Amino acid sequence: MTIRVVLADDQPLIRAGLRVLVADTPDMEIVGEAGTGAEAVALAERAAPDVVVMDIRMPGMDGIEATRRITTAHVLMLTTFDDDEYVYGSLRAGAAGFLVKDMALEEILAAIRVVANGDALIAPSVTRRLIAEFAARPEPRSEPAPEPRRADGVTDREREVLTLVGRGMSNAEIAEELYISVATAKAHVARLLAKLGARDRVQLVIAAYELGLVRPPTGGSTT
């Protein structure tokens, strides 16, 4: 199955490099390119990509706002800037992953596949650190207060799975922990996505914190 990719970056040389990388990959194809966030949103609606590889700093509408408006594709942030504010802003907007441009090319391709599969990109240890900090941060005053997170219809087993997702475990690790098959773990995750209205695994991690199933560490920070 071919992964349909849109490239969104205001630097033509960056897009050209990514285009060549993807063109040499049998399971991927470029279905559009954008130089602004507004163009990326329009392309996501018109070209029906599986993944939008999105830069953050672009003229006009930036990548974070564009990500917030894209609801029909998974968004992978690929940026030079790894500042915490960009990470938090991207996760709040619904991005499924966050990469910096100095990563190895094979890692970028692997990330596109992970995001296209509906999984989170961030490694478990990084996920725990970032989401723990994210969960403790207040919403910006300019944004309306979110409705309390509800878990209506979530079964006890699904709560167990959600707790493990919140701890950064993969489907294989969840299966081993609960003595179930990987396919069963994946099915539970899929049902949680539907029941909680989450777009991807990163948002399930956030939901686990909001529901109190996983709590931020209180013993100090680590680097």
Side-chain angles (χ1 to χ4, degrees):
M1 185 174 177
T2 302
I3 301 171
R4 297 168 57 83
V5 180
V6 161
L7 303 177
D9 197 300
D10 64 336
Q11 299 183 46
L13 286 177
I14 296 294
R15 295 203 308 273
L18 291 171
R19 187 191 316 125
V20 170
L21 174 66
V22 172
D24 289 337
T25 306
D27 62 338
M28 298 181 192
E29 66 172 325
I30 301 295
V31 296
E33 296 182 28
T36 69
E39 290 176 0
V41 173
L43 265 176
E45 294 177 354
R46 185 170 69 251
D50 300 301
V51 177
V52 178
V53 180
M54 182 85 72
D55 189 23
I56 288 182
R57 289 190 177 181
M58 291 186 287
M61 183 189 301
D62 66 15
I64 292 177
E65 178 58 29
T67 298
R68 187 175 291 112
R69 299 189 185 196
I70 293 174
T71 60
T72 57
H74 301 293
V75 177
L76 171 62
M77 305 304 274
L78 181 61
T79 179
T80 306
F81 310 96
D82 60 355
D83 184 273
D84 279 354
E85 289 301 319
Y86 287 129
V87 177
Y88 299 138
S90 299
L91 295 181
R92 286 183 187 278
F98 192 100
L99 288 183
V100 290
K101 290 177 179 176
D102 61 358
M103 293 185 68
L105 297 181
E106 285 303 318
E107 290 180 310
I108 294 174
L109 290 177
I112 292 173
R113 294 187 183 98
V114 168
V115 170
N117 195 43
D119 211 339
L121 172 69
I122 307 171
S125 59
V126 179
T127 298
R128 286 191 288 270
R129 177 179 64 82
L130 290 179
I131 301 302
E133 294 178 16
F134 167 85
R137 294 167 64 90
E139 290 285 333
R141 293 183 180 180
S142 60
E143 298 182 8
E147 295 183 2
R149 173 72 69 172
R150 297 175 62 87
D152 296 339
V154 174
T155 66
D156 290 342
R157 174 60 94 182
E158 288 165 351
R159 281 180 175 270
E160 289 181 300
V161 172
L162 183 59
T163 300
L164 298 179
V165 170
R167 293 175 182 169
M169 289 189 179
S170 66
N171 288 342
E173 291 169 332
I174 291 170
E176 182 177 357
E177 178 75 16
L178 298 179
Y179 300 101
I180 58 178
S181 69
V182 175
T184 299
K186 188 172 183 178
H188 283 310
V189 170
R191 285 194 288 270
L192 284 166
L193 289 168
K195 290 182 179 182
L196 297 178
R199 287 173 54 179
D200 49 52
R201 201 180 188 92
V202 171
Q203 290 195 346
L204 284 184
V205 176
I206 294 171
Y209 277 88
E210 291 178 341
L211 289 168
L213 300 177
V214 182
R215 299 189 181 279
T218 58
S221 61
T222 59
T223 56

